[in-house]
Amino acid sequence: MAQTEGQLLTQLGMFKMFKTGQTGWQPYSTVICHLKLKTDMGGLMSDEKKTKGQFAAMETQKLIDIVGATDTDQRSLFGALRQIGERGDVAAPKAHLKLPAAVADVLTRNDVDRVIGLQAIDTLVALNDSSAWHALTAILEMGSDPEVRAMAAWALGAISFGEHTRITGACLSAALVGCEDTTTPVPKDTEFLVRAAAAKAIGTGGYTLRVPALVQALDDEPIVRSEAVKALGKLGVPVGNEKLKSMLVDEDDGEPVVSIRAAIVATLAVTGGREELAVIISVAERDSYERVKATASKVAKEMEERLSRECDPEKAGFAPGLGGGNGGGEFEQHLWEADAPH
């Protein structure tokens, strides 16, 4: 007996519940993707003889086929990309190995629009596979859409690339400030959105060798400066402290500078010593913005306690380490406090 669309949707909902333990309707694009799977796989969902592993492998392969077909409509392609990102961890090993390559191939097509490109990159991050490196760096360097380039930069900071780590940092640095140490000088990206994403990725990815690029970016546009400051704090290195202290004097010009000043205070708190503490105390007493003063006042107390512990041999072992990328946790806490309403 032929099944109605309602029956199909009911089965799809049951399958989703069986697979992930979640309930509720899926987005329309996801339902379309599942309907295509249902049709193409000849009633696989109702075949109780299939094991869970076989089921996962066959559905994964079908998703790969949908993504790989150049004539797939945009809605089905979007749904398939989304499904791959959601279920990559349950795919059979052999099929899972094909997923990143299939998704990365989407980014190389000339007719890919912004929505598909952004979803493809988001899926690659969900898969967290280093084989995506070539596609992401190519998009960052040569992509035509600035939003997709920015997303690629963010992904380069979110995925672990192993042997490609050093050159990944170099690609992000080139996008942020350019590179003069090549036969043909590479200019920085023309879009501030991409440069800001590159700065953020350097901090997220722990690329400490690229700190000089972050310091150089402190002279860029406000959003880029903000991300560069935050990246320095996340890396926990004091290299840019002199520049940051001078920015506290120079940057006093309203929003969005308020957020930058608060980020500078949070960064100095995890990377600095007694000299930086004196600057933060001064900010807490005299800054023009209540949000910045509140942040400085709170972190100054915590910084005093940390520095006291470091001076006490019996307590030194309990002091949080500084430098070498150890500032992340403490900095994130300070930054969260800076962003909280005051």
Side-chain angles (χ1 to χ4, degrees):
M1 180 182 297
Q3 292 176 305
T4 66
E5 185 181 42
Q7 289 172 321
L8 278 175
L9 289 172
T10 301
Q11 275 198 342
L12 290 169
M14 291 173 62
F15 163 63
K16 188 69 179 178
M17 198 161 51
F18 162 75
K19 187 180 71 173
T20 66
Q22 297 174 353
T23 58
W25 292 99
Q26 300 302 306
Y28 180 68
S29 58
T30 304
V31 173
I32 290 297
C33 178
H34 273 309
L35 284 172
K36 186 174 179 61
L37 290 174
K38 171 69 181 180
T39 301
D40 293 349
M41 296 170 73
L44 175 63
M45 288 181 168
S46 61
D47 189 350
E48 298 178 355
K49 296 180 181 179
K50 299 295 183 182
T51 66
K52 187 175 180 180
Q54 289 174 317
F55 186 91
M58 293 183 70
E59 189 188 9
T60 298
Q61 184 57 55
K62 185 54 63 175
L63 286 169
I64 291 174
D65 292 341
I66 293 173
V67 170
T70 56
D71 59 346
T72 301
D73 64 272
Q74 297 288 77
R75 181 172 288 168
S76 294
L77 179 57
F78 179 88
L81 288 169
R82 180 169 180 163
Q83 282 294 301
I84 288 174
E86 290 178 350
R87 68 182 307 280
D89 58 334
V90 300
K94 289 184 179 179
H96 180 78
L97 293 175
K98 302 177 184 178
L99 288 173
V103 176
D105 182 62
V106 173
L107 293 172
T108 66
R109 301 175 192 171
N110 295 327
D111 59 343
V112 173
D113 67 9
R114 174 179 296 172
V115 174
I116 296 297
L118 294 176
Q119 180 58 54
I121 294 173
D122 189 59
T123 297
L124 288 174
V125 173
L127 294 175
N128 193 29
D129 193 293
S130 61
S131 63
W133 182 82
H134 293 284
L136 292 173
T137 52
I139 288 293
L140 178 60
E141 294 173 11
M142 297 178 290
S144 59
D145 190 304
E147 288 192 28
V148 178
R149 291 203 308 277
M151 187 77 166
W154 167 76
L156 288 170
I159 300 175
S160 300
F161 289 105
E163 63 182 289
H164 296 304
T165 297
R166 188 181 183 90
I167 193 169
T168 300
C171 291
L172 291 169
S173 176
L176 179 58
V177 297
C179 180
E180 301 292 337
D181 300 332
T182 56
T183 304
T184 303
V186 178
K188 66 181 181 182
D189 198 283
T190 56
E191 298 288 337
F192 70 86
L193 183 67
V194 181
R195 299 197 300 276
K200 182 180 181 69
I202 289 174
T204 304
Y207 297 109
T208 53
L209 292 177
R210 303 302 160 183
V211 166
L214 293 174
V215 176
Q216 187 176 340
L218 295 175
D219 292 319
D220 208 317
E221 297 184 49
I223 187 173
V224 184
R225 292 203 301 274
S226 178
E227 292 299 340
V229 170
K230 294 173 184 177
L232 287 169
K234 196 169 185 65
L235 292 174
V237 292
V239 176
N241 282 4
E242 291 303 316
K243 175 66 175 178
L244 293 176
K245 287 185 289 185
S246 69
M247 287 172 67
L248 280 176
V249 176
D250 298 336
E251 297 231 19
D252 195 8
D253 195 24
E255 294 286 358
V257 176
V258 174
S259 62
I260 298 177
R261 293 175 67 79
I264 291 173
V265 169
T267 298
L268 290 176
V270 299
T271 61
R274 292 289 176 185
E275 185 176 339
E276 285 72 21
L277 174 59
V279 172
I280 292 175
I281 291 174
S282 176
V283 170
E285 295 173 348
R286 302 183 180 88
D287 201 87
S288 304
Y289 307 102
E290 289 302 319
R291 174 182 164 190
V292 180
K293 289 174 68 174
T295 300
S297 178
K298 182 171 180 58
V299 302
K301 295 177 182 178
E302 297 174 358
M303 195 174 179
E304 285 185 40
E305 293 176 1
R306 171 174 62 76
L307 293 173
S308 296
R309 289 197 301 268
E310 290 176 349
C311 293
D312 187 338
E314 294 184 1
K315 298 180 181 179
F318 297 97
L322 294 178
N326 293 325
E330 187 179 355
F331 170 72
E332 292 290 350
Q333 176 64 25
H334 291 330
L335 193 60
W336 179 84
E337 292 165 351
D339 290 334
H342 294 291

